[in-house]
Amino acid sequence: MKLMEIVASIICNTLSDPQVLERARLRKGAFTRNCGKLPFWTMMELLLKSVKRSTSSMLDEFFSDLRKKMGNPISQTIHCSQQAFSKARAGISHTIFQECFENVLDFLCCTESLDYHRRLGGVWGIQPVAIDGSKIPLPNRKALLHKYGSIGRGANSPTAMASIAYDVLNHRILDALLEPMSIDERTLAARHMDHIRCKSRTDLLYTMFIFDRGYASKKLISYIENDIHARYLFRLRSKFNLEIDAVPLPSEEHGVTDQVVTLYEGMRVRVLRFSLPSGVTETLITNDFSLDKTAFKALYFLRWPVEEEYKLIKEKVGLINFNGFSENSIQQEFWISVLLANLAMLIKTETDGIIDETVNTGQNKHRYQTNMNELIGCISRYFPEYMEADTCTEQREVIRYIFCFAISTRVRDKKGNGESHPRKNPRNVKHHYNCKSTH
């Protein structure tokens, strides 16, 4: 809980920093004097409360709670329109939430952080960082279509490309980007690695970047080898390279073929091939020549949490349910989403440990874990109360309540119990909900 208290104070200190506000001010005179119903601090609280909720319901609940705190009758409830809220948020740049995200990571990843020595070793002396991208459907606006591009029938569905670098063992997003569809995933991956190196998010001596199919290319592999100086592990698509395709499959059912192949002007890579229980053949390449070949299969599958993180951001945090329609508001909600995702995973790591010690004992039939849906909602509801607290004691009480709530609303850990649910075939639909005319 101590770690969360420090992180929460970093966020509040960043939001209240006059220099940060000055850099983020988009409109001259914005939030410099009495702003009526929506001063700066109120706007920060409202934006953090707007996760997975409509603007109108969020405004109604906020001002209704404010009226109750003041002891006023219901007839004196303040009413604020969505137009006033949209105008106010247009005066502040998304960069203020990006700075919150960066400042939190500066603390969590520094050598003085509380968990630095625990996270340094990783697994097999490696700290895996998974990099992956995902398409984010945007509101149906012509300006967003021109800015970010589109997919879908007729190419008229505004869509952005999100990409994150995720520390899979320490459960945190190390870097995030939301860019137009014209920028490919490999370019975004190179930016992630450059940011991680420049900001010392990990120790590159121990870091291995893990990529799914579609990322491997001469340019990206050369960039990691010559500029980043880190280890990598790529999953390859079929027919990526004829010499690699010629590497034989293992003779044993659960064996792994290990062979060194020369690529791209003398660049040596280690090729590992194995078969999955489904019969699919997987091919990996790496520049790590010291690790035992049997470890790479497990090491690659460690990247799966990056897919779960997109599920957390898009569904549980509710990124795809945008409340704003401008480029700035889209970026605001994106950075709020990745910030809340890191906060949620930070709390989940601690509460899962408490649940393991107190609930997941030998006497229970099932294992339990933190309910992320409930936790995200709780953070969104009560973190603004932390911001409003006047004393350190009140702030600690808010953090304590969030932890207690997360523990009390635990759910069964079906994956931890070994339950398996085969992937269902997608149902056939004539059109996607986001594939509609823009203008």
Side-chain angles (χ1 to χ4, degrees):
M1 199 168 77
K2 180 65 176 176
L3 190 61
M4 181 58 192
E5 290 178 13
I6 298 173
V7 168
S9 66
I10 290 173
I11 295 173
C12 289
N13 291 338
T14 302
L15 293 176
S16 59
D17 188 341
Q19 295 181 352
V20 174
L21 173 59
E22 185 60 34
R23 289 194 296 270
R25 188 177 285 118
L26 292 179
R27 190 171 58 243
K28 185 178 180 180
F31 303 108
T32 56
R33 55 183 182 274
N34 183 21
C35 300
K37 303 174 185 177
L38 297 172
F40 172 73
W41 201 245
T42 299
M43 279 301 303
M44 296 298 101
E45 294 178 27
L46 289 171
L47 287 170
L48 290 171
K49 284 178 72 73
S50 61
V51 174
K52 291 186 74 172
R53 305 182 60 189
S54 67
T55 302
S56 59
S57 65
M58 178 265 298
L59 290 172
D60 288 342
E61 181 184 289
F62 179 84
F63 287 107
S64 177
D65 291 343
L66 182 62
R67 187 261 305 170
K68 293 176 182 177
K69 289 180 182 179
M70 297 173 65
N72 294 335
I74 193 170
S75 59
Q76 295 184 17
T77 303
I78 299 173
H79 297 284
C80 179
S81 66
Q82 297 184 54
Q83 291 80 4
F85 176 76
S86 298
K87 182 178 179 181
R89 76 183 298 182
I92 192 75
S93 172
H94 66 273
T95 56
I96 195 167
F97 298 108
Q98 184 177 357
E99 286 203 40
C100 289
F101 174 80
E102 297 288 353
N103 290 344
V104 168
L105 281 177
D106 287 341
F107 166 72
L108 292 176
C109 298
C110 71
T111 55
E112 292 80 17
S113 66
L114 301 178
D115 65 342
Y116 174 75
H117 294 289
R118 177 185 62 78
R119 68 180 173 81
L120 184 63
V123 57
W124 303 304
I126 294 173
Q127 187 177 357
V129 175
I131 295 179
D132 199 14
S134 180
K135 297 179 179 63
I136 305 294
L138 302 178
N140 214 4
R141 292 297 184 271
K142 188 175 181 179
L144 296 178
L145 179 67
H146 290 320
K147 168 65 180 179
Y148 289 101
S150 61
I151 59 173
R153 184 184 303 172
N156 55 14
S157 180
T159 308
M161 175 61 72
S163 183
I164 61 173
Y166 187 69
D167 185 343
V168 298
L169 296 181
N170 297 292
H171 312 294
R172 64 181 63 129
I173 300 172
L174 298 177
D175 196 55
L177 294 167
L178 186 70
E179 298 292 342
M181 291 294 296
S182 57
I183 302 179
D184 64 279
E185 290 181 319
R186 293 168 182 165
T187 301
L188 298 180
R191 291 185 189 177
H192 287 316
M193 290 183 285
D194 186 55
H195 292 170
I196 289 171
R197 178 189 59 180
C198 294
K199 298 174 183 176
S200 301
R201 294 285 184 250
T202 66
D203 188 335
L204 294 180
L205 181 65
Y206 301 97
T207 302
M208 175 178 284
F209 294 102
I210 304 178
F211 302 89
D212 203 1
R213 287 177 295 199
Y215 275 93
S217 69
K218 177 181 179 181
K219 183 177 180 180
L220 186 58
I221 294 175
S222 300
Y223 176 75
I224 300 174
E225 289 267 11
N226 302 325
D227 294 80
I228 301 299
H229 304 293
R231 287 175 282 186
Y232 58 77
L233 181 65
F234 286 94
R235 179 188 182 190
L236 298 185
R237 55 177 172 79
S238 60
K239 300 181 180 179
F240 173 78
N241 178 277
L242 293 178
E243 191 172 353
I244 291 177
D245 288 341
V247 174
L249 288 172
S251 56
E252 302 86 3
E253 182 179 357
H254 301 290
V256 178
T257 301
D258 185 2
Q259 188 170 317
V260 176
V261 173
T262 301
L263 293 177
Y264 312 135
E265 302 170 355
M267 184 183 298
R268 297 169 66 247
V269 297
R270 189 177 177 186
V271 180
L272 303 117
R273 303 194 76 191
F274 54 88
S275 297
L276 299 177
S278 61
V280 177
T281 300
E282 294 290 358
T283 304
L284 308 176
I285 61 170
T286 181
N287 60 345
D288 188 325
F289 297 94
S290 59
L291 196 63
D292 185 79
K293 66 178 182 179
T294 58
F296 283 99
K297 184 176 179 180
L299 188 61
Y300 173 77
F301 287 114
L302 282 176
R303 70 166 290 280
W304 182 251
V306 75
E307 306 287 355
E308 292 293 321
E309 194 69 12
Y310 274 120
K311 182 179 180 180
L312 170 65
I313 294 172
K314 294 168 75 172
E315 297 182 14
K316 293 181 172 61
V317 179
L319 175 62
I320 57 177
N321 302 315
F322 290 101
N323 289 321
F325 303 114
S326 66
E327 179 187 345
N328 182 54
S329 64
I330 295 298
Q331 291 283 350
Q332 283 178 353
E333 295 181 38
F334 173 74
W335 286 108
I336 290 172
S337 295
V338 294
L339 175 63
L340 288 180
N342 271 357
L343 289 182
M345 292 306 300
L346 182 66
I347 295 173
K348 184 180 187 300
T349 301
E350 290 197 49
T351 53
D352 279 351
I354 296 172
I355 292 171
D356 282 340
E357 293 177 0
T358 58
V359 180
N360 293 334
T361 61
Q363 300 175 354
N364 289 332
K365 179 180 178 181
H366 303 293
R367 287 183 56 83
Y368 290 87
Q369 64 175 355
T370 304
N371 187 330
M372 290 301 291
N373 276 322
E374 296 287 353
L375 178 57
I376 289 290
C378 185
I379 295 173
S380 177
R381 287 193 304 272
Y382 291 103
F383 193 81
E385 290 198 17
Y386 176 93
M387 297 168 63
E388 281 291 327
D390 296 324
T391 65
C392 293
T393 302
E394 292 177 353
Q395 291 177 337
R396 278 194 291 268
E397 286 301 316
V398 174
I399 299 297
R400 189 186 306 277
Y401 176 81
I402 293 175
F403 271 73
C404 292
F405 180 87
I407 294 170
S408 64
T409 57
R410 59 187 178 270
V411 293
R412 281 178 56 195
D413 181 6
K414 296 182 179 180
K415 293 182 180 178
N417 288 333
E419 297 184 27
S420 177
H421 300 278
R423 179 178 295 177
K424 297 180 181 179
N425 294 326
R427 66 184 176 92
N428 296 322
V429 293
K430 292 184 179 179
H431 47 264
H432 189 263
Y433 73 95
N434 197 40
C435 297
K436 46 190 177 288
S437 178
T438 304
H439 57 282

